Amino acid sequence: MSSRAQASAGDLLELVRSGRATTRGALQQVTGLSRATVGHRLDRLFRAGWLREGASGPVDSPLGGRPSITLEFDDAHAVVLTADLDTRHARAAVLTLTGELLVEHSGALAVDDGPDVVLGELGRWFAELLTKAGHRPSEVCGIGLAVPGPVDTDNGRVVQPPIMPGWDGYDIRTRLARAFAEHTGDTAAAAKVPVLVDNDANLMAYGEQRTGHPDCSAFVLVKVSTGIGAGVVVGGSVFRGIDGGAGDIGHIRVPQGAEALCRCGAYGCLAAVASGGAVARRLAATGVPAASGSDVRDLLAAGHPGAVALAREAGRSVGDVLATVVTLLNPGVLMIAGDLAGTPFLTGVRELLYQRALPRSTAHLDVVTSRLGERAGLVGAGAMVVEYLYAPERVEERLTALGV
């Protein structure tokens, strides 16, 4: 937050949203602002529809008096659209500003079809979901998209994605905004809606950490599906590296994969030997019908012995790499997610992780599986949009644009 004497309306909103100060008196005490200044800045937030009064709280003064009125972030003034792309299917949803999922849709959608086709279809899904949820395009404050590749979040473009042919450097934001406008017919509303894009593992990690492990200051999620990627949340924020490449552990070279050709064009990548796609290829070579990580997931659910054995073996390979990750980052939670995130794979991870990592690195480590499941990316994308739009400095810009 800015200095006490300069606390803005955006700073006050952040204090209310975080629960650190939820009455006028508490806001005065935390910020050092006068009662009149706090009242003026809160009035702007009320006029924008972003704050509302809640129930009566405790009396602020030890001398007694009327109970204070609590302040609440009004999550009903807008909604967020989110989508999570995988290699062969996608999910989309309408969420409230506090992350409640109102409606969702999932279906086949292949990233190999290219960004123009895929993003155009997402625009159609968004329009249908808004109608189903009973919301207008003008009520959408932002769109969040999770993609299975590294992303430069400054411009929303994927950077040399191994499993997204035709997407490298593509202007995702402009195309998705245009698709939203085309399918809703509201070009004015669409022109005002920001589109944010990030890697799927990053957003899954963000969603899972915020909803299930908010007190964990170092959180790692590993997604094992068609490929392998990791999301890292440190101090409540996604760690992306200098250009969005952090967490790309699927392309760490491993000795057992020396002869395995990865989709990135290199030999020996972890993803080439331990991803859902790699397991599917090994099963297919034995005559088992499997073409992707989702097929392997179905076989594991059915207890297929070959799939179980290969998933455990893949888990050991990933666990070997994660021993280094855990030693480097010392996380409190290591979460396994994606198509292979079941008992056989997790058993393999644990075997090698605890064998190779120093006891000091794992003494306070919880190795768990996803709580949100296939919705983690949607929830994380929604949180990304909300945190962007309601950051203190952006609140000031938006209030000024609204004329309040």
Side-chain angles (χ1 to χ4, degrees):
M1 192 176 72
S2 56
S3 66
R4 289 165 63 95
Q6 298 174 343
S8 66
D11 291 320
L12 299 190
L13 182 62
E14 182 180 43
L15 288 168
V16 173
R17 288 184 61 231
S18 67
R20 286 180 288 162
T22 57
T23 66
R24 287 170 173 81
L27 290 170
Q28 289 176 239
Q29 184 176 22
V30 170
T31 63
L33 295 175
S34 69
R35 180 176 181 178
T37 301
V38 167
H40 171 70
R41 293 178 183 173
L42 289 179
D43 183 59
R44 297 177 68 200
L45 297 170
F46 279 115
R47 282 185 285 149
W50 299 352
L51 275 188
R52 65 187 174 205
E53 291 187 338
S56 297
V59 176
D60 278 346
S61 171
L63 300 177
R66 293 188 302 174
S68 57
I69 302 298
T70 59
L71 303 170
E72 301 174 350
F73 179 59
D74 190 344
D75 69 339
H77 71 267
V79 293
V80 177
L81 296 174
T82 64
D84 185 3
L85 292 181
D86 210 329
T87 52
R88 298 177 64 193
H89 65 276
R91 304 179 76 87
V94 180
L95 282 75
T96 68
L97 298 179
T98 49
E100 179 188 355
L101 195 148
L102 300 177
V103 293
E104 67 178 313
H105 172 76
S106 63
L109 197 58
V111 292
D112 286 356
D113 289 340
D116 189 60
V117 171
V118 171
L119 298 174
E121 184 67 1
L122 285 182
R124 184 177 69 82
W125 288 10
F126 284 153
E128 293 175 352
L129 285 168
L130 278 176
T131 299
K132 186 175 180 181
H135 286 278
R136 301 181 303 277
S138 59
E139 295 177 83
V140 177
C141 65
I143 297 174
L145 176 64
V147 298
V151 176
D152 182 342
T153 53
D154 287 340
N155 58 30
R157 301 181 187 226
V158 292
V159 182
Q160 300 178 0
I163 59 176
M164 298 179 71
W167 290 74
D168 186 23
Y170 187 87
D171 188 356
I172 294 174
R173 290 176 175 175
T174 298
R175 177 66 182 106
L176 189 51
R178 188 170 77 248
F180 177 58
E182 290 169 352
H183 289 282
T184 60
D186 193 333
T187 55
K192 301 176 183 178
V193 176
V195 177
L196 305 183
V197 187
D198 202 351
N199 171 261
D200 56 355
N202 284 347
L203 293 180
M204 291 173 69
Y206 195 44
E208 294 277 10
Q209 188 270 338
R210 286 173 60 90
T211 58
H213 305 272
D215 297 325
C216 181
S217 60
F219 178 96
V220 176
L221 177 143
V222 179
K223 179 187 179 184
V224 186
S225 291
T226 299
I228 300 176
V232 180
V233 180
V234 177
S237 299
V238 175
F239 178 76
R240 299 183 175 90
I242 60 171
D243 61 4
D248 204 2
I249 65 170
H251 299 286
I252 293 175
R253 305 292 175 84
V254 292
Q256 63 270 38
E259 304 299 320
L261 177 63
C262 183
R263 294 183 65 170
C264 73
Y267 285 88
C269 293
L270 178 65
V273 298
S275 66
V279 172
R281 288 190 293 274
R282 293 182 65 180
L283 287 169
T286 66
V288 178
S292 68
S294 58
D295 293 334
V296 177
R297 179 190 61 206
D298 295 340
L299 290 167
L300 290 171
H304 188 281
V308 169
L310 288 176
R312 183 166 179 170
E313 183 181 334
R316 288 172 59 85
S317 295
V318 172
D320 196 4
V321 170
L322 289 179
T324 301
V325 173
V326 166
T327 301
L328 176 65
L329 297 177
N330 189 210
V333 175
L334 172 62
M335 178 174 285
I336 307 299
D339 293 327
L340 266 61
T343 300
F345 186 87
L346 190 63
T347 299
V349 168
R350 287 176 177 273
E351 286 176 358
L352 263 289
L353 173 62
Y354 288 105
Q355 176 183 326
R356 299 292 172 82
L358 291 172
R360 172 69 181 82
S361 300
T362 58
H364 302 288
L365 175 69
D366 288 330
V367 182
V368 300
T369 54
S370 171
R371 292 173 49 141
L372 296 175
E374 294 182 337
R375 293 175 172 173
L378 298 175
V379 173
M384 170 182 65
V385 170
V386 172
E387 292 307 311
Y388 170 83
L389 289 174
Y390 296 94
E393 65 277 8
R394 203 151 287 108
V395 164
E396 288 302 308
E397 295 174 6
R398 296 176 66 205
L399 289 174
T400 300
L402 289 171
V404 298

